[in-house]
Amino acid sequence: MIHELKTVFSKKMLIISLIAVMFLPVIYSASFLTSMWDPYGKTEDLPIAVVNEDQEVELEGESIHIGEEIVAELKGNDDFEWHFVGSDEAHAGVVKGDYYASITLPEDFSSNASSLLTDEPKEMALDVETNPGYSYSGKSIADQSILAVETAVASEVRELYTEKVFETVNDMNDGYKEASSGAGELADGAEQLAESAGQLGDGMEALAAQAPSPLAAELEKLIEGNKQISQGIDELGSGSASLSDELSAASEEISAYAFETANAKLISEPVEVNKETVTEVENYGQSFAPYIIALSLFVGAIAFSTIYPFRTRDRESTTLLIWWGSKLSVILAQGTFQAALLAVFILKVLDIPVENLGSFLLILFVISNTWMFILSVLVAAFDKVGNFLGILLLVLQLGASEGTFPIQLTNGFFQAVHPYSPMTYAIKALRESIFGFEGNVPFEQALWILVAILLAMILLLGAVYYFRFQKERKTASELA
């Protein structure tokens, strides 16, 4: 069975071509993964235009200019490459692709902010312009810059108005204290006045007892009026004391809380998010590695199937077993070396951390040879049409294997095909071996599914050669 390998090595151009094809998955992976390695980690190089047209206004005697404050904050923000320009330059830059977004703070920005606690509050609007036709992915990343500005504005406004509300509460508390003190003084005065009225009443009663009858009658009326006045004074004193107690209690209740600048800042940003991830993925390229690896190995298999003569049989392949075995030796060698080269590139050049190295190398070998034998069967059975069917199978799997977006976001057709796509299990197994977790299809299950497909393809290739061998013998006997 080794004679097929000797035949390959005897043909210089064929061996050069096969070696070149072995590197194709490496070239393919290098091209894709390095180009998308960490775009979200380099947003500081993405140019974003900021136009500040905001006009300064006054709020309760204090000047506010939110536009300037936002610009000052963005100048210290390294998340994007901020360009502070005029509106014309910003628009032209977005059209040409010099800027991936322009964010304008309109002239009524601070004015609308100052209206938020009035009877007619006005919404603060950011004017944003993008050009997805120039670069949709760039536009998608630039959307994060809009969120950054929106967050800065929201924080600034919340802090501003929280401080204003806190100032009002503190002023109200001071008023409560002053009113409570005044009510207490009023209660004390009412008490003194009530004592004086009582003394006056006692004096008038003594005088009435000694006075003649006409004068005594008048004094009785005065005494009755004095009693009513005394009762009113008592009620005033009681009400003032009660008011003083209530105002004092309200002041104490307010004083139990802190209404300072530090509190205002914390209320403007009250939530701290503590994130925890099941796996560690360093960047965008690493997250795409399983998809690109599976895809690049399939591309390598397609390229191999276009140059290797699956349908020919040399003179030494005198039996079906020898013919089949000799082809297997070349296909397995190609698939194994292709996987080995890609493994070296992934681990040593790209330096992608792999949680389960043994599982990664095993699944890489199985995937590479599974793709090789799928294409081998197609080409051995259908010749050039087999290459076309291989490409068609690849295209079908690209949408059904959940390599990029979650399968739930695709259409019903690809969701239905998803469980039957071999690449689905290749990508799942690669993800689990690289990132170290167990998904909805465990690594062992995905591995055995691919091994089953590999063995089935090996047997199917033998069946193809069996029918071709029988056909050749029949043709030879007819010619004889």
Side-chain angles (χ1 to χ4, degrees), residues 2-21:
I2 304 299
H3 69 271
E4 181 75 11
L5 290 173
K6 294 180 180 178
T7 302
V8 170
F9 279 103
S10 67
K11 299 177 181 178
K12 181 181 290 187
M13 289 306 300
L14 179 59
I15 192 62
I16 291 174
S17 299
L18 292 179
I19 292 174
V21 167

Side-chain angles (χ1 to χ4, degrees), residues 107-145:
E107 61 180 15
D108 60 358
F109 205 68
S110 291
S111 175
N112 289 349
S114 67
S115 72
L116 294 181
L117 292 181
T118 67
D119 293 336
E120 297 181 358
K122 297 178 181 178
E123 190 175 43
M124 302 168 66
L126 288 173
D127 297 331
V128 177
E129 187 176 36
T130 59
N131 185 2
Y134 179 81
S135 173
Y136 188 82
S137 59
K139 177 261 181 190
S140 299
I141 298 174
D143 285 344
Q144 300 299 314
S145 69

Side-chain angles (χ1 to χ4, degrees), residues 164-241:
K164 291 296 180 185
V165 171
F166 280 11
E167 288 176 7
T168 302
V169 172
N170 285 325
D171 291 343
M172 187 186 304
N173 192 27
D174 292 340
Y176 282 162
K177 290 178 180 178
E178 292 178 6
S180 176
S181 176
E185 293 175 359
L186 180 60
D188 292 340
E191 184 179 350
Q192 294 174 3
L193 184 59
E195 291 178 0
S196 298
Q199 293 173 0
L200 178 60
D202 292 342
M204 285 191 293
E205 287 179 358
L207 182 60
Q210 299 174 5
S213 295
L215 181 58
E218 293 298 325
L219 287 173
E220 288 292 339
K221 292 179 182 179
L222 289 174
I223 291 170
E224 187 64 28
N226 186 66
K227 289 181 178 179
Q228 294 177 0
I229 291 173
S230 296
Q231 184 178 356
I233 292 172
D234 288 339
E235 291 176 357
L236 175 62
S238 176
S240 298

Side-chain angles (χ1 to χ4, degrees), residues 62 99 256 261 313 396:
E62 181 182 347
Y99 305 126
T261 302
R313 180 167 65 93
L396 184 65

Side-chain angles (χ1 to χ4, degrees), residues 223-478:
I223 291 170
E224 187 64 28
N226 186 66
K227 289 181 178 179
Q228 294 177 0
I229 291 173
S230 296
Q231 184 178 356
I233 292 172
D234 288 339
E235 291 176 357
L236 175 62
S238 176
S240 298
S242 177
L243 177 61
S244 177
D245 291 342
E246 291 178 3
L247 290 172
S248 179
S251 176
E252 289 179 4
E253 188 173 349
I254 292 176
S255 299
Y257 301 95
F259 297 94
E260 306 301 332
T261 302
N263 302 94
K265 289 183 177 179
L266 185 58
I267 288 176
S268 68
E269 295 291 340
V271 179
E272 178 183 356
V273 179
N274 297 315
K275 295 182 179 179
E276 184 177 347
T277 57
V278 175
T279 57
E280 294 295 329
V281 180
E282 296 179 357
N283 50 53
Y284 195 72
Q286 187 181 343
S287 70
F288 259 85
Y291 173 61
I292 298 302
I293 289 170
L295 175 59
S296 64
L297 289 172
F298 205 102
V299 171
I302 291 175
F304 173 69
S305 69
T306 62
I307 62 174
Y308 182 70
F310 293 100
R311 296 166 66 86
T312 60
R313 180 167 65 93
D314 57 32
R315 294 178 181 178
E316 295 188 32
S317 299
T318 54
T319 66
L320 170 63
L321 186 60
I322 294 175
W323 188 18
W324 180 42
S326 63
K327 295 297 183 183
L328 289 183
S329 63
V330 175
I331 299 169
L332 283 170
Q334 185 76 16
T336 301
F337 281 113
Q338 174 181 268
L341 289 172
L342 186 56
V344 171
F345 175 75
I346 294 295
L347 297 172
K348 299 300 182 182
V349 179
L350 292 184
D351 195 26
I352 293 178
V354 174
E355 286 291 325
N356 300 313
L357 182 59
S359 297
F360 174 72
L361 295 175
L362 175 61
I363 198 64
L364 206 62
F365 166 82
V366 172
I367 292 170
S368 180
N369 283 288
T370 300
W371 297 170
M372 283 289 180
F373 277 97
I374 289 175
L375 269 297
S376 300
V377 169
L378 291 175
V379 175
F382 306 108
D383 200 14
K384 298 299 181 184
V385 176
N387 291 114
F388 171 75
L389 293 175
I391 294 172
L392 193 63
L393 178 61
L394 173 61
V395 172
L396 184 65
Q397 293 187 106
L398 292 181
S401 60
E402 201 177 20
T404 52
F405 298 104
I407 193 63
Q408 293 83 357
L409 303 182
T410 61
N411 61 41
F413 172 76
F414 288 117
Q415 290 185 34
V417 174
H418 176 68
Y420 306 102
S421 166
M423 194 171 287
T424 293
Y425 302 100
I427 293 173
K428 287 181 181 294
L430 285 168
R431 282 176 178 158
E432 293 181 25
S433 63
I434 292 174
F435 302 123
F437 69 98
E438 183 174 298
N440 53 9
V441 177
F443 176 85
E444 291 79 8
Q445 182 180 342
L447 173 64
W448 285 115
I449 289 173
L450 292 172
V451 168
I453 295 173
L454 172 59
L455 294 177
M457 290 299 108
I458 291 175
L459 293 175
L460 195 55
L461 182 64
V464 171
Y465 285 141
Y466 170 79
F467 285 110
R468 288 186 57 80
F469 192 78
Q470 294 298 324
K471 184 178 180 180
E472 288 181 10
R473 290 182 63 182
K474 182 179 180 180
T475 301
S477 62
E478 289 176 353

Side-chain angles (χ1 to χ4, degrees), residues 60-137:
E60 297 181 358
E62 181 182 347
S63 296
I64 62 170
H65 198 170
I66 293 180
E68 281 190 356
E69 294 174 3
I70 298 303
V71 167
E73 185 172 336
L74 292 179
K75 285 182 178 179
N77 183 309
D78 296 329
D79 292 341
F80 291 88
E81 185 182 296
W82 306 102
H83 294 259
F84 303 96
V85 298
S87 58
D88 292 340
E89 182 180 343
H91 173 71
V94 171
V95 172
K96 295 178 181 178
D98 295 334
Y99 305 126
Y100 287 87
S102 73
I103 305 171
T104 300
L105 302 165
E107 61 180 15
D108 60 358
F109 205 68
S110 291
S111 175
N112 289 349
S114 67
S115 72
L116 294 181
L117 292 181
T118 67
D119 293 336
E120 297 181 358
K122 297 178 181 178
E123 190 175 43
M124 302 168 66
L126 288 173
D127 297 331
V128 177
E129 187 176 36
T130 59
N131 185 2
Y134 179 81
S135 173
Y136 188 82
S137 59

